[in-house]
Amino acid sequence: MPNEDPVRTSAPEPRSGPSVVLAGGGTAGHISPLLAIARAIVRRDPTSRILAVGTASGMETRLVPEAGFELAAIDRVPLPRRASLDLLRLPKRLAGAVRQAERVLDQAGADVVVGVGGYVCTPMYLAARRRGTPIVIHEANTRAGLANRVGALFTTRVGTAFPETRLRHARVVGMPMRREVSTLDRAEMRDESRRFLGLDPELPTLVVTGGSSGALSINRTLAESLPALASAGIQTLHITGRGKEVTRDDGTPLAAPGYHQVAYVDGMEQAYAAADLIVCRAGAGTVCEVAAVGLPAVFVPLPIGNGEQALNAHALVETGAAKLVRDAEFTPGWLEREALPLLKDPRKLEEMGEKARAHGVRDADEAMATMVMEAATE
């Protein structure tokens, strides 16, 4: 758990490799590529010193230490969306966060700052600019966030997950992801993964997930669809999200033939290998992982925000590797009409999987590590 004060009293440990400060956090969509880049840097040079910077309240407080990396925290400074007292306080709050970021860089002896987006990146980029520290950026979404748009003004080293992303000096590298996903052979691992997850190796398998936080609308539609799925001989692995478990009226967990409910899967490569088809949101990380492993998908984009999830899925949908349905239209009737026939058509699923894999990029972590090492030694 990081301290509120990013200042650390001990001097940097002796090292021969570069000191790399990686900034980002708040959601798994930022933290996962950050950790993938960090691991690739350490594989490249095990003497590298890695420090992640996030906030004291994001998912990074758990995920970064679990991955074995040090974490420092600076203040969270969101940009107010409308005129308010918060907008008037913004300059002072941002200046304070930049001073915190400067102390982090100084104490880390940073050779390079790597940003993946999120509230902490703007002060980290501004601090790096003031200190003359090279900046490397990765943008995961098709629509770049404000922090990375600011950071791209200060560097020529910008990697993106999607070719549609408009950022200064951007080049497409793909989405950095865990090696367990990028190297997955679904056909080889299918039976083993199904047994590991308590599934029948022989039955057509649907995996449904709303991401690490779950999706109540997806969960509700699936619960109402269980009779049709059971009648079709399809087994379902339902990853509900923590705190989103689906229950009967009496509070007991929902149960049905062929239905397997879990709150979370530690290692989504197991679910990817087990699935014949996945129903999921269209976050950038999910879309890129589905493509990398060659898994047919039904994307149900998050119905709020600026529409970026639908844009993330656009290429896979346009080429026939996936289907897309609006959240409001994802009903039991739609699932029965569109998804059940797919699950009974192995040839069509194989075709979709091949098209998905053709879009997959599996070495983005290494591409970003190369960019970081170049920046650190310039």
Side-chain angles (χ1 to χ4, degrees):
M1 184 74 68
N3 296 320
E4 291 283 352
D5 186 350
V7 178
R8 289 167 292 156
T9 57
S10 58
E13 297 176 5
R15 56 179 172 79
S16 57
S19 172
V20 182
V21 174
L22 298 106
T27 67
H30 288 139
I31 302 162
S32 294
L34 182 152
L35 292 176
I37 295 168
R39 293 185 185 106
I41 292 167
V42 172
R43 286 197 302 271
R44 190 74 60 89
D45 183 349
T47 67
S48 299
R49 184 166 179 248
I50 303 293
L51 174 67
V53 180
T55 70
S57 58
M59 293 177 69
E60 60 269 26
T61 59
R62 175 175 61 86
L63 296 178
V64 170
E66 284 180 359
F69 296 110
E70 184 181 1
L71 178 67
I74 65 174
D75 289 343
R76 178 179 181 272
V77 187
L79 178 66
R81 301 295 182 182
R82 64 188 69 176
S84 65
L85 287 176
D86 283 340
L87 186 59
L88 295 176
R89 298 186 187 108
L90 178 64
K92 182 177 181 180
R93 294 177 62 194
L94 181 59
V98 171
R99 288 193 295 271
Q100 290 178 327
E102 289 177 317
R103 291 198 293 270
V104 168
L105 297 182
D106 291 345
Q107 293 186 6
D111 294 306
V112 60
V113 169
V114 184
V116 297
Y119 293 125
V120 300
C121 281
T122 300
M124 292 302 300
Y125 293 148
L126 293 172
R129 176 72 168 175
R130 291 170 67 166
R131 287 294 190 264
T133 306
I135 295 169
V136 178
I137 292 172
H138 184 269
E139 174 57 56
N141 291 298
T142 49
R143 287 180 174 163
L146 176 61
N148 280 350
R149 295 202 303 271
V150 171
L153 299 174
F154 309 141
T155 182
T156 59
R157 293 185 170 93
V158 179
T160 67
F162 297 99
E164 297 86 355
T165 304
R166 295 176 180 270
L167 259 185
R168 194 171 182 230
H169 302 301
R171 67 183 180 92
V172 181
V173 298
M175 177 70 76
M177 61 187 72
R178 292 185 306 114
R179 303 293 283 176
E180 292 87 349
V181 174
S182 63
T183 62
L184 177 67
D185 184 327
R186 288 180 55 237
E188 181 179 319
M189 291 296 296
R190 178 174 289 114
D191 288 0
E192 179 181 331
S193 293
R194 288 183 180 180
R195 291 190 184 97
F196 175 80
L197 293 166
L199 304 171
D200 187 329
E202 303 300 325
L203 291 178
T205 302
L206 174 67
V207 170
V208 178
T209 175
S212 57
S213 299
L216 291 174
S217 60
I218 291 177
N219 290 353
R220 182 171 56 250
T221 291
L222 179 62
E224 295 172 3
S225 302
L226 292 181
L229 289 164
S231 296
I234 292 163
Q235 66 181 343
T236 305
L237 175 66
H238 186 190
I239 308 169
T240 65
R242 289 193 173 105
K244 303 279 179 63
E245 292 83 355
V246 183
T247 60
R248 297 188 177 105
D249 291 340
D250 63 2
T252 60
L254 183 64
Y259 176 66
H260 304 261
Q261 179 183 159
V262 295
Y264 184 77
V265 171
D266 186 14
M268 276 298 291
E269 65 274 7
Q270 298 284 355
Y272 293 152
D276 291 307
L277 177 71
I278 189 168
V279 172
C280 54
R281 291 299 195 199
T286 300
V287 171
C288 291
E289 288 185 355
V290 162
V293 303
L295 176 58
V298 171
F299 292 118
V300 189
L302 195 68
I304 59 175
N306 60 8
E308 70 183 19
Q309 287 207 353
L311 291 175
N312 293 341
H314 178 76
L316 293 183
V317 174
E318 283 294 297
T319 56
K323 289 180 175 289
L324 185 142
V325 56
R326 292 176 54 212
D327 187 83
E329 296 170 359
F330 182 61
T331 63
W334 190 96
L335 193 97
E336 189 168 354
R337 288 191 312 272
E338 301 289 340
L340 294 194
L342 273 181
L343 285 157
K344 304 295 281 187
D345 189 345
R347 183 175 297 181
K348 179 64 174 177
L349 289 172
E350 182 178 1
E351 177 186 317
M352 291 176 68
E354 290 173 356
K355 290 177 178 178
R357 190 166 175 80
H359 282 273
V361 179
R362 289 164 280 278
D363 62 353
D365 55 341
E366 295 295 337
M368 287 301 300
T370 297
M371 211 182 295
V372 171
M373 291 304 201
E374 289 173 351
T377 57
E378 69 177 5

